[in-house]
Amino acid sequence: TVNEKKLQLKEKNQLPEQEIKQCRIKEAALSDSETEYRRMAENREIANYKVQQLANSDCLTGLANRRYFDRYFQQEWKRLLREEAPLSLIMCDVDFFKSYNDTYGHQLGDECLRQIAIVLKETVKRPSDLAARYGGEEFILLLPNTHIEGVIHLAEQIRLKVKYLNIPHINSDASHCVTLSLGVAATIPNLTNSPQILIGSADKMLYKAKSAGKNTVSV
């Protein structure tokens, strides 16, 4: 009958609409899944980055730790060896720090190191520069593409900034406040010497600064 044919035609027309609806539902589900996957991937990246940052950082000061410094130092040495460009180091040591801890306690000792670390962070501004805690109360700064004159100027700035923090130290023979001794060394990496020679030179200059009465920069 005519009515039956109309009903059959209506049912046929409804099939594509149902298929379209199902497709749209599937597309929406896939879109939600993709969004969730991207969110999870981003969270993983952020988590991995944070883990890497923690692994490379000194937990007390927030500076790079010794392990990361050693790795970065080797990397920059090889790069500057190819470029035949200078590489400089500043090695710093807090004067009479054991006496400071004995006088004021380890909590204030930790706070003292944190304040010095802030000075170092604010002083090294180029992306390739690196400030690290080398061990105990000793810090080291790596300065690629920096000649000896520039690194001496920077070391003197650091010495003065730490002194101007005016952290009291009544048992220091160098000053009434906390001070730094700094040793400076620079070289152009080449195949005849090793990275350890540069570190050894900075360490010798630090010892010279300590022997000269502390609160000074030696080259």
Side-chain angles (χ1 to χ4, degrees), residues 2-101:
V2 173
N3 289 336
E4 286 175 343
K5 288 182 179 179
K6 285 182 179 180
L7 182 62
Q8 288 173 358
L9 184 62
K10 184 177 179 182
E11 287 175 349
K12 285 181 180 179
N13 289 336
Q14 284 177 343
L15 285 175
E17 291 180 5
Q18 291 173 355
E19 289 175 0
I20 290 169
K21 286 180 181 178
Q22 288 176 353
C23 284
R24 285 176 178 170
I25 291 169
K26 289 179 181 178
E27 285 176 359
L30 286 171
S31 178
D32 290 343
S33 297
E34 186 178 356
T35 302
E36 179 64 16
Y37 177 79
R38 286 180 179 175
R39 186 185 65 78
M40 289 171 64
E42 288 173 0
N43 287 342
R44 266 198 305 272
E45 282 186 23
I46 293 169
N48 289 337
Y49 176 76
K50 288 181 178 179
V51 168
Q52 193 62 44
Q53 286 292 99
L54 287 172
N56 293 337
S57 300
D58 172 63
C59 60
L60 176 65
T61 63
L63 299 177
N65 58 26
R66 172 72 175 270
R67 181 175 58 181
Y68 181 75
F69 168 81
D70 289 340
R71 189 164 67 246
Y72 186 69
F73 181 42
Q74 294 290 333
Q75 172 189 311
E76 288 300 284
W77 181 274
K78 291 175 184 176
R79 180 177 71 85
L80 296 169
L81 174 65
R82 294 192 299 271
E83 296 177 6
E84 298 182 350
L87 177 61
S88 298
L89 292 179
I90 303 174
M91 196 168 279
C92 323
D93 188 78
V94 183
D95 298 324
F96 301 104
F97 189 67
K98 183 181 182 305
S99 174
Y100 185 91
N101 273 337

Side-chain angles (χ1 to χ4, degrees), residues 119 155-165 182 215:
V119 169
E156 185 60 24
Q157 275 189 325
I158 292 168
R159 186 189 71 81
L160 290 174
K161 284 180 180 179
V162 169
K163 187 176 181 182
Y164 293 156
L165 288 174
L182 304 98
N215 187 27

Side-chain angles (χ1 to χ4, degrees), residues 89-145:
L89 292 179
I90 303 174
M91 196 168 279
C92 323
D93 188 78
V94 183
D95 298 324
F96 301 104
F97 189 67
K98 183 181 182 305
S99 174
Y100 185 91
N101 273 337
D102 291 343
T103 305
Y104 298 98
H106 287 277
Q107 281 190 322
L108 283 181
D110 289 348
E111 181 59 28
C112 172
L113 295 179
R114 279 192 285 264
Q115 289 190 51
I116 291 171
I118 291 170
V119 169
L120 300 181
K121 283 180 188 175
E122 291 174 347
T123 304
V124 290
K125 297 176 181 177
R126 298 179 306 175
S128 59
D129 295 343
L130 180 71
R133 188 181 181 192
Y134 203 61
E137 68 273 21
E138 200 168 52
F139 301 92
I140 193 164
L141 288 85
L142 186 148
L143 304 158
N145 300 101

